[in-house]
Amino acid sequence: MLGRDGGEAAADRGEAAGDRAIAAQVRERELHRTTIATLTKDQRDALRESQRDALTGLANRHQMNGRLAEDFAQRTTRSAGPTLMFIDVDNFKVVNDQFGHRAGDMVLQQVAARLMETVKPQDLVARIGGDEFAVILSGGDADTAVAVAQRIAKSFEVPLALEDQNVDMSASMGIALFSDAQGNSQDL
């Protein structure tokens, strides 16, 4: 026999069940938001990793191409377009063959650090291959590019430190300057 109290008890149980359901939905939404935030951070981390060279921490070829395309797109608002420099470490294979790959990695890391020291913060230094690097100089002219190339060459005059000895290295460089005749970054 259900009296008024039995009905109220059933209603109370219904409200409690509804409250539990709402609380569960709130917890589920909070978990979903946390998961989205984590995924977003993971995605940001993945993007950053996809644009960086794992050994040197420099930009990689992918990021360099993107930056070069951006610089070309903005060239109408600048007095000068981008300048692209290629740097190839001479006789790098000899270091790997004579001292091992660990020593070669140390050389590449030191070269990366020296290149970063020779450019302005707004310029981009990238490792684009085994012993190949590129520098995008934002704006500037031929004189600026030559001055940077001279600083890079001078940085190679100091021997690179390996674990138990120093090694003399040099680099070959090329400079490509933007001209109005070039339509896009691939032409450069």
Side-chain angles (χ1 to χ4, degrees):
M1 172 160 106
L2 287 175
R4 186 165 192 252
D5 292 338
E8 287 178 14
D12 288 343
R13 285 192 303 268
E15 284 180 28
D19 290 343
R20 284 192 301 272
I22 290 171
Q25 288 175 346
V26 169
R27 283 192 304 274
E28 187 177 330
R29 277 189 238 138
E30 288 174 0
L31 179 62
H32 183 67
R33 272 187 246 143
T34 303
T35 302
I36 290 173
T38 302
L39 289 176
T40 302
K41 181 188 179 312
D42 290 346
Q43 289 170 342
R44 281 194 309 266
D45 291 347
L47 177 62
R48 186 173 33 255
E49 287 177 25
S50 74
Q51 295 181 340
R52 291 280 165 204
D53 174 64
L55 178 65
T56 62
L58 295 176
N60 62 17
R61 181 185 298 271
H62 176 72
Q63 185 179 9
M64 180 202 71
N65 287 337
R67 169 69 181 273
L68 197 56
E70 286 174 19
D71 283 2
F72 260 85
Q74 296 173 4
R75 73 182 183 272
T76 57
T77 61
R78 296 184 186 194
S79 59
T83 300
L84 181 59
M85 300 178 69
F86 288 100
I87 301 109
D88 184 78
V89 179
D90 297 333
N91 302 312
F92 179 72
K93 185 179 180 327
V94 173
V95 172
N96 270 343
D97 291 346
Q98 188 173 356
F99 302 107
H101 289 283
R102 184 169 179 219
D105 289 350
M106 291 172 66
V107 166
L108 293 173
Q109 290 166 335
Q110 290 179 56
V111 167
R114 290 182 185 192
L115 292 174
M116 289 297 295
E117 293 171 357
T118 62
V119 299
K120 297 177 185 171
Q122 67 267 23
D123 298 331
L124 180 86
V125 179
R127 180 174 174 221
I128 58 172
D131 63 345
E132 298 171 341
F133 296 84
V135 176
I136 298 175
L137 302 175
S138 298
D141 55 12
D143 292 337
T144 301
V146 168
V148 171
Q150 289 171 337
R151 288 196 306 267
I152 291 170
K154 188 166 182 63
S155 77
F156 275 90
E157 292 175 2
V158 178
L160 297 163
L162 299 180
E163 289 177 342
D164 55 349
Q165 62 188 31
N166 293 331
V167 62
D168 291 320
M169 300 296 294
S170 61
S172 299
M173 290 178 268
I175 300 171
L177 297 168
F178 169 77
S179 74
D180 289 331
Q182 294 161 322
N184 60 48
S185 60
Q186 296 305 310
D187 293 340
L188 181 63

